[in-house]
């Protein structure tokens, strides 16, 4: 019995190559089952993260609304309230795993609850008549724009498949701060000064959304050193590409190596492995 030949893949490690390869990413085809096997495909189904081209555009247009930048900026209060409540509960119920704070084990359900708060549940939304995201998504189902199966599989992806990715981002930020007391102290000072300046929620929101704060620098630096995903979802371009003088045939899967981009690139020298938020 002969096995099918594996599809060609090209791993991208330089930003200029990513620009060339992904200049028409909306026309790319994602690898079947994310190149991770039949069972992952059965687990995730036809969610927005695995479908391609027109099907992806249609599904994305239905579910992306609550997660676009302009919409996300309105969720600061929701995230803050859920975080305060969550931390109070694990303290009150003595759920801290070791008596110390474990970023992964102690916070593992927080992203799930935050996303759930944003999307809300279908039954609760229908009963209240509120114009929350899940109602708008189901309106697209009622119109026949997408099937209910596609929507439910994408909701599964939002609530379950992305938990480890989100927890990776949160936990590595905390670990980076814990490993660098000077950075931690400077950040604590910045936050304390911000709290002194304003007690209004709008002031807190503006601070959290700003890209020029030391907090933002800490988050970005942690993301550089520990990307949310080591490699991107494999996907192929519809036409040939030329990289460094070499022709990459259409249909070749491109995979972005996040570590190579964020650490190995000469721009991060002299010591790309350090954590110096700037």
């Amino acid at each position: 019995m002969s096995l099918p030949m594996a599809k060609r893949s090209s791993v991208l490690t330089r930003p200029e190559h990513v620009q060339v390869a992904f200049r028409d990413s909306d026309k790319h085809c994602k690898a079947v089952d994310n190149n991770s096997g039949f069972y992952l495909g059965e687990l995730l189904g036809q969610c927005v993260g695995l479908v391609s081209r027109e099907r992806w555009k249609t599904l994305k247009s239905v579910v992306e609304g609550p997660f676009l930048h302009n919409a996300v900026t309105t969720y600061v209060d929701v995230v803050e309230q859920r975080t305060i409540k969550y931390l109070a509960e694990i303290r009150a119920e003595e759920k801290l795993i070791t008596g110390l704070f474990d970023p992964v084990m102690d916070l593992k359900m927080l992203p799930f609850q935050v996303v759930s708060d944003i999307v809300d549940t279908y039954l609760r939304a229908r009963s209240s008549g509120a114009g929350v995201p899940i109602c708008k998504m189901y309106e697209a189902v009622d119109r026949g724009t997408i099937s209910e199966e596609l929507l439910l599989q994408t909701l599964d992806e939002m609530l379950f498949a992305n938990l480890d990715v989100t927890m990776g981002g949160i936990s590595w930020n905390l670990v980076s701060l814990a490993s660098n007391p000077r950075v931690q102290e400077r950040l604590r000072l910045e936050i304390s000064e911000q709290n002194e300046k304003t007690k209004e929620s709008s002031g807190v929101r503006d601070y959290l959304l700003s890209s020029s704060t030391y907090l933002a620098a800490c988050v970005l630096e942690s993301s550089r050193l520990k990307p949310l995903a080591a490699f991107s979802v494999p996907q192929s371009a519809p036409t040939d590409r030329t990289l460094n003088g070499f022709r990459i045939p259409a249909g070749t899967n491109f995979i972005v190596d996040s570590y190579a981009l964020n650490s190995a690139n000469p721009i991060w020298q002299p010591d790309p492995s350090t954590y110096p938020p700037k």
Side-chain angles (χ1 to χ4, degrees), residues 27-45:
K27 298 179 177 66
H28 286 197
C29 273
K30 294 171 186 169
V32 176
D33 296 335
N34 198 28
N35 270 6
S36 299
F38 170 79
Y39 289 109
L40 180 71
E42 290 297 292
L43 178 65
L44 292 179

Side-chain angles (χ1 to χ4, degrees), residues 203-216:
V204 175
R205 186 184 304 112
D206 292 342
Y207 168 70
L208 292 176
L209 295 176
S210 173
S211 60
S212 61
T213 63
Y214 195 58
L215 172 63

Side-chain angles (χ1 to χ4, degrees), residues 241-252:
R241 296 289 188 270
T242 301
L243 302 176
N244 269 12
F246 293 94
R247 183 180 68 86
I248 310 298
T252 301

Side-chain angles (χ1 to χ4, degrees), residues 172-191:
W172 277 118
N173 271 279
L174 296 177
V175 169
S176 297
L177 288 171
S179 302
N180 294 270
R182 291 185 180 179
V183 174
Q184 184 180 160
E185 184 57 34
R186 179 176 170 184
L187 179 59
R188 189 191 303 274
L189 179 61
E190 179 186 84
I191 294 173

